[in-house]
Amino acid sequence: MSIRFTAKARRGMVALTIAAGLAVGVAGCGGGGDDKKPEASASASKSGSSGASTQEGTDEPVAELKGEDGLVLQIDSVQRDSGGFLTVSGEMKNDGDKAARVSVRTAGDETEIIRHGSSLGGATLVDSKSKKRYYVLRDTDGRPLTTTGMPRIEAGASIPVFMQFPAPPTNTTDVTFQLPTFASATIQISG
């Protein structure tokens, strides 16, 4: 598999998941941290109810996770597909006042993923109900099925991102999303 194919496949997956996310959006709840960790915030339902609600027709994200240097990961869609995968997609925004790069630490610490360069390969989903942790999927060459080779992000700019995981059991609706250098947040799975 060539890098060109991977980039093309990534763009196709992002477009597909964004389209699915526009059809069905879900609000989640975020987790805060102590003074040393970045903060997370999540969108609340406009109706003011305490539970998550479908956000059809709105542009509200599922969650926003704050990271280093003004970077914010906005999760727009958490979608199951029929192949047994779960795709988390959204955008990486630079809310800072100067250009920033996504930390190399977001690739995690697994040698197989790190050798393929910068990525969001360190992302995990934690299903506390089933007591399982799900890691980003990899292709047959060991490349993480995530956005890779992220450019420097100018102040006020954003780039589309995605991460693909094995899907938790269908009775699991909430998982904790974690990405190194970003706060963690509970997100709700749709589909």
Side-chain angles (χ1 to χ4, degrees):
M1 181 183 296
S2 71
I3 293 174
R4 184 176 201 183
F5 175 77
T6 302
K8 184 176 179 183
R10 180 181 73 223
R11 285 191 301 271
M13 180 59 68
V14 169
L16 178 63
T17 55
I18 288 174
L22 291 175
V24 180
V26 181
C29 49
D34 59 21
D35 291 337
K36 295 181 183 178
K37 290 184 179 178
E39 296 177 15
S41 64
S43 300
S45 169
K46 286 187 175 185
S47 66
S49 64
S50 61
S53 64
T54 302
Q55 300 287 317
E56 292 184 32
T58 68
D59 291 332
E60 290 190 39
V62 172
E64 284 191 348
L65 293 79
K66 294 185 181 184
E68 300 174 333
D69 300 325
L71 293 176
V72 176
L73 174 61
Q74 178 179 306
I75 298 174
D76 297 324
S77 172
V78 183
Q79 191 73 34
R80 290 181 195 272
D81 73 14
S82 59
F85 304 114
L86 182 78
T87 303
V88 176
S89 61
E91 59 183 28
M92 185 73 68
K93 301 187 304 184
N94 182 353
D95 283 349
D97 56 358
K98 59 184 177 179
R101 287 201 180 274
V102 177
S103 172
V104 296
R105 293 180 290 160
T106 61
D109 56 9
E110 293 183 44
T111 305
E112 184 70 18
I113 290 178
I114 292 172
R115 74 183 183 107
H116 292 289
S118 66
S119 73
L120 301 177
T124 59
L125 298 176
V126 177
D127 176 1
S128 57
K129 183 178 176 183
S130 299
K131 297 182 178 165
K132 291 186 178 182
R133 179 180 302 265
Y134 297 90
Y135 295 89
V136 168
L137 291 169
R138 300 172 194 162
D139 68 12
T140 55
D141 292 327
R143 290 183 195 92
L145 297 181
T146 72
T147 304
T148 59
M150 291 162 288
R152 188 172 86 157
I153 304 171
E154 296 298 325
S158 64
I159 60 170
V161 295
F162 83 98
M163 292 142 279
Q164 202 165 44
F165 301 89
T170 54
N171 64 345
T172 299
T173 57
D174 295 318
V175 290
T176 301
F177 175 85
Q178 298 174 332
L179 179 66
T181 74
F182 286 82
S184 57
T186 300
I187 55 177
Q188 189 172 43
I189 301 169
S190 61

